[in-house]
Amino acid sequence: MNKIIELVINLEEFEFSDLGAEIISLVEKPAIEVNWMAFSEEEFEDDGSDLQQFASYSDYPDSVKNNAQRGIDLNEAVNNKCATLVGKQRAQQLAKGEAISEETIKRMKSYLSRAAVYYEAGDTEACGYISYLLWGGKSALTWAESKLNQIENEKFEKSVLDIAKEVGEVIDPTEIIYLDGTKDSFASVGDFLEGAKALDALGDLPLSTPAEIKYRYAGPAGQRTFCATLKALNRVYSRKDITAMNAFNPGFGPGGSATYSVFNYKGGTNCRHYWEELLQFNNGTKNVLISMGPASDDAGESNNDDYQSPAGSLPNNASLKFWSFSEDDKMIITGPAMIPKQLIARKDELGNLFWVYFSKDTIEKIARKFLADNNTHNTDINHDGQVVKENTLLESWIVTDPELDKAKALGFNVPEGTWMASYKINNKETWKKIKAGELNGYSIEGSFLEVAQN
């Protein structure tokens, strides 16, 4: 049995002021094996309720503002005969760069998509020409189509993830026995012992115990919010559960077909993930999961040639609409910095494997000391030692009630005593790495005392 070490910052009556967390490193593979999530502005501020009914948007290009102002000037030249009071107010909003509602954007698209003929006639005194400009012109049509597509994607994504958080079964690594059924032989003693535990548990089950087929969202760290959330939820789902995620937004399927299939098309165009098929044997006390590898057909293949699943990849068969970071994201990451009693693999100077962990009491002390020592803005990349203070710690909290905590609302299933942190990333190159999936979580760096455990 490999030795297990508890890491602490104080030992009985002795206290060491130089112990504790000094740096939060942004790393590719977090030792606690839980990624952060990246949230856009709306997602980070969302309180869990439905999308705001009166949400508005102002990220249209300057050409829209310029066209609206030109329309206002031309309308004044013809004694304001080409716009109602409401129309003039809306044109003023566009000219000033003020936010407009989703309903207004829909009307913008509807009008501009059928009124180009009046503008193309070229009569600068005609109301058709002037109205076309008052609505923002051709560039406003392009923006409106893109913005409505983004809004629909956000609604769809939120609807699907709301269901994903409610259905399925949370997998606690400490309470299940996991066996890779795709292997021909045991590659290590650890594999053999896990297999022995599985056989022992299966032997205790009645011979008539049926196997349930479940699925887990698998693949590399999530780049899109949808994929990162599904992976962080750490749940297994039945086909019925996954099908329940499909009943939104007709037209999201390939070629605009009736329904988008989360099972077949995962996170959309270029998605790097796939569904892993599992056999589950559970009698209420013992829970055995046997991986059968990627699910059959499209569900088990990624949509990305550069990130193929073990079963390969297939052409981008989802529609051109896909989940991504919105243009107005705040470059904010949120995730667990430390999880109590999470075993972390380490090797000593001779290369021997051992395990370390932190108790929830120690984690709370570390989090408080990290703030008290003014280390809050100390970050580096993959423990490279190039410490910077450019990123801003926005939130730091300890989970006290896992079911009611904000972490749960954000999609994390973490135990009591977890240290959660939110950082505003102020370096664009670092943010690019995060969005590209090159950096996926936190790793604490500091000095700690070791206490051997039986």
Side-chain angles (χ1 to χ4, degrees), residues 21-22 367-378 389:
E22 301 163 1
R368 289 180 177 178
K369 195 170 188 297
F370 184 74
L371 300 177
D373 291 347
N374 294 318
N375 292 327
T376 52
H377 304 319
N378 291 351
K389 294 181 177 292

Side-chain angles (χ1 to χ4, degrees), residues 276-310:
E276 175 190 14
E277 185 172 318
L278 302 158
L279 295 181
Q280 183 181 46
F281 296 88
N282 191 344
N283 69 349
T285 58
K286 294 188 177 181
N287 191 359
V288 178
L289 285 175
I290 302 175
S291 173
M292 305 305 292
S296 59
D297 300 322
D298 293 354
E301 300 182 39
S302 76
N303 295 339
N304 194 316
D305 288 340
D306 294 329
Y307 295 88
Q308 298 188 16
S309 82

Side-chain angles (χ1 to χ4, degrees), residues 95-112:
K96 295 177 181 178
E98 295 176 356
I100 57 177
S101 69
E102 179 183 348
E103 289 304 313
T104 298
I105 299 172
K106 289 179 179 178
R107 292 196 297 273
M108 173 188 283
K109 176 185 175 182
S110 176
Y111 179 83
L112 292 175

Side-chain angles (χ1 to χ4, degrees), residues 11 27 57 135 170 172 192-193 215 219 259 354 374 392 402 409 437 443:
L11 186 61
V27 296
Y57 310 88
W135 273 106
V170 176
D172 184 345
F192 180 87
L193 292 176
Y215 299 91
T259 304
F354 67 100
N374 294 318
T392 308
S443 180

